[in-house]
Amino acid sequence: MTENPSVPPKNQKPWYMKWWVWLLAALVLIGGISNLMDPPPKVAVPEVSGLPAVEAVAKLEEAGLRVSIAEAGKYSAGGKHFDAVDTDPAGGESVRSGSKVTLNVTKATARLAAEEEEAKRAAAEEEATREAERAIAEEEARAKAAQSAVQPLSEDNARPFCLEYADQSFPYGIKVHYVMGVLAEEKTDSGWYMKYKATITNEYGAKRDSNIECHMSGTNGSPAMDDFLAY
């Protein structure tokens, strides 16, 4: 006699009668009851009206809410150019944590214009401050130069004066070796005595090795060449 495969063998329980099925069902039921008995806490919807949209979104999310932007197609990336109008549910209302809140936004024309005007004003003030600082620095430099000009001729001013005088004295060219060819740089009672090796070029392009001497006096603002020698 052929057995009917749809009839379970004797002493074999159907799957829905097995102990693990009932245990799983009990756990699911207990979890559902637990959620009903211990729902997510309530939070107050933050008041965000008038805030830049990007700040409003951040504030709502920090409160544990999911944010949906009304007319999202008009909302630029990050909400930089939009302001929050209100929310649904409204600010101050209590909702479950994780609830969805709709944020209504509008183009921030007035705020952006005010920010642009403020940026221009700040830039103008900064430029005025820099201009005032430049004027003070220039005045201080002039005062320092005027004070230096009446001081006795210093070494730093005597050296370039000597080199410039030598250049003017030899129109066909002179190279003063004021680094490796220094023979004397001495302070005198009247000013400075400086002596250097030099290479002088004549009108025919011929060069000759020479020495130059500068005897100088006067002030930084009005130096005087008392004696100049080339030999």
Side-chain angles (χ1 to χ4, degrees):
M1 181 177 180
T2 305
E3 294 183 357
N4 186 350
S6 63
V7 179
K10 292 181 178 180
N11 300 325
Q12 183 175 342
K13 295 180 180 180
W15 66 269
Y16 53 82
M17 295 295 292
K18 294 183 179 181
W19 68 270
W20 59 267
V21 175
W22 287 96
L23 178 61
L24 180 62
L27 292 174
V28 172
L29 180 61
I30 292 172
I33 294 173
S34 176
N35 286 337
L36 291 174
M37 295 178 63
D38 187 21
K42 284 193 172 185
V43 296
V45 177
E47 179 59 63
V48 296
S49 300
L51 290 178
V54 65
E55 295 181 19
V57 170
K59 191 171 182 178
L60 291 168
E61 289 179 344
E62 287 173 2
L65 303 172
R66 294 182 295 113
V67 182
S68 173
I69 306 295
E71 298 183 89
K74 297 180 181 179
Y75 181 73
S76 65
K80 179 180 178 181
H81 302 300
F82 288 80
D83 283 344
V85 177
D86 54 25
T87 57
D88 184 18
E93 292 189 22
S94 293
V95 297
R96 296 292 182 191
S97 178
S99 297
K100 178 180 176 181
V101 174
T102 300
L103 175 65
N104 297 304
V105 298
T106 186
K107 188 75 173 178
T109 305
R111 175 173 62 82
L112 293 175
E115 289 178 355
E116 183 179 359
E117 191 64 30
E118 175 61 20
K120 290 180 179 178
R121 184 194 63 77
E125 287 185 356
E126 186 176 350
E127 178 58 29
T129 299
R130 285 197 297 265
E131 185 62 33
E133 290 174 348
R134 283 195 293 266
I136 292 173
E138 290 173 359
E139 183 60 32
E140 289 177 348
R142 283 192 294 268
K144 186 176 180 180
Q147 183 179 10
S148 175
V150 298
Q151 297 298 317
L153 186 63
S154 66
E155 181 178 4
D156 290 340
N157 287 284
R159 186 181 300 107
F161 179 58
C162 175
L163 300 178
E164 183 180 353
Y165 196 94
D167 284 339
Q168 295 175 353
S169 300
F170 296 93
Y172 298 106
I174 181 173
K175 182 177 182 180
V176 180
H177 307 294
Y178 60 89
V179 177
M180 301 300 295
V182 178
L183 300 176
E185 286 184 336
E186 302 172 359
K187 185 77 172 67
T188 65
D189 292 339
S190 59
W192 286 90
Y193 165 67
M194 295 183 174
K195 181 178 180 180
Y196 304 101
K197 292 181 179 180
T199 301
I200 299 173
T201 303
N202 64 19
E203 64 270 30
Y204 304 106
K207 300 180 184 295
R208 64 183 176 89
D209 292 332
S210 304
N211 295 329
I212 65 165
E213 294 183 8
C214 297
H215 298 261
M216 299 163 286
S217 62
T219 63
N220 290 326
S222 182
M225 184 63 69
D226 298 329
D227 193 15
F228 178 80
L229 301 173
Y231 53 89

